[in-house]
Amino acid sequence: MPYEPGGGYDLYARDVAPYLARCTGGDVEVVNEAGAGGLLATSNTAAAEPDGTRVQIVNTVGAVSAQIGQAAGINFDLAALSWVARVSAEANVVVVAADSRFADFDDMLRSPDPVRFVSTGPGSNDYINPPLLQQIFDFPVEVISGFAGSGEARTAYLRGDADAQVLPVASTVSAIRSGEIRPVLVLGDADSPGLEGVPRARDLPVAGAAQRETLTSLLDLVSLSRTMVAPPGLAPDRLAFLRDAFACALTNPDLVAASTEQRRPIEFMPGAELTEAMRSVLSADPAFREIVRDIT
C-alpha cells in the first residue's frame, strides 16, 4: 500500500484483502509503505523478489506521470512490472472549500491570478493534474506541494492558504456529502452522489486539436486509476495464479455490492488487457509526454 492508512487506496486494499485470501487459500496482509507521493512502495515492488508474495495497489495516474516525466528518485520501469488487474476506473475530481472564492470551474478559467492547487508531491494525482489542466484549458495554476498526506493538504485550502485539490472520487465523497468541500470539475466518468450537474472535462471546449489530444491522453490514463502490480520477472505460472486470484476476488458479487454501496466501486480489468492498456498510455501522444516531462 503506497499511502498512509485511512485514504481511498488503503480502503480499497482492505476491502479486497479478505476476498483475495479466500481465493488464494492463504493469508493476505495489508502493509502501508507511504512515502514520495506513493512512489516509494512502487520502487520497493520493482526491487522485490519475484516470488508472488508481494502485490501492490498503484496510483496509476501518478506512477505513469512520474515515469514519463522522469521524476527524481524513480528507479522502476512500469513496463517491466507484472500487471495483475485493474481495481477501479475511478474518475478524478477538482474540489474546493465550501466557501471558496471559486463558485465553479468557469471562475477558475476567468481567474486573473494563479489558482493554487495543493499536492503531496510527484507521483500523486494532485501533482500531475493541475498543470495538465492549465495546458488544456489555458488558465493560471500554481502547485503547492510537500504536504504529508491528502488530509493535511485539504486543511490548507479549507483554511484559505490554497484554493483546490484534484483527487480520486472515492477520496472526496464523504467531504462532499458533509458540505466541507465542493466539486467543480470531473475528469473521467462518475455518477456518485454530489456530482450531479458538475461539468465533465471531456464536454468542455478547448482551444484546438492539440489540447483535445492532451485531454484524451489524460482521460485514458485516469481510466486506469487503481491497479494491482507484482514485481518484474514473475514466473508465468505465478503471474497466472495471481491474475486468477484477483479475478476471483474482484468479481465476487458480495465485494462488488459492498464496494458500490460504500461509494468505492470495483471496475475489474483482467491482467492481460491491463498490460496492453498500460503499454498504450506509456506511449501516449508526444505532446502529452512533453507536457508531463516539463511539469516534473
Side-chain angles (χ1 to χ4, degrees), residues 8 11 62 130 139 170 177 203 206 210 222 224 250 266:
L11 293 172
F139 68 107
R177 292 175 69 188
D203 298 328
V206 295
V222 168
L224 296 181
L250 294 173
I266 298 292

Side-chain angles (χ1 to χ4, degrees), residues 60-83:
T60 317
V61 174
V64 169
S65 301
Q67 177 162 319
I68 289 175
Q70 301 174 334
I74 291 291
N75 63 352
F76 55 77
D77 177 8
L78 294 173
L81 293 176
S82 303
W83 293 92

Side-chain angles (χ1 to χ4, degrees), residues 34-55:
L39 300 180
L40 174 62
T42 308
S43 295
N44 291 343
T45 296
E49 188 71 25
D51 57 10
T53 62
R54 180 184 175 99
V55 181

Side-chain angles (χ1 to χ4, degrees), residues 20-54:
L20 185 62
R22 293 179 210 169
C23 291
T24 60
D27 295 327
V28 176
E29 180 184 4
V30 177
V31 178
N32 296 87
E33 292 181 348
L39 300 180
L40 174 62
T42 308
S43 295
N44 291 343
T45 296
E49 188 71 25
D51 57 10
T53 62
R54 180 184 175 99

Side-chain angles (χ1 to χ4, degrees), residues 159-194:
R159 69 187 177 211
D161 294 337
D163 297 310
Q165 188 173 20
V166 186
L167 291 168
V169 169
S171 300
T172 67
V173 169
S174 61
I176 290 172
R177 292 175 69 188
S178 71
E180 187 177 44
I181 62 176
R182 287 189 291 104
V184 297
L185 182 70
V186 176
L187 299 168
D189 298 310
D191 56 4
S192 298

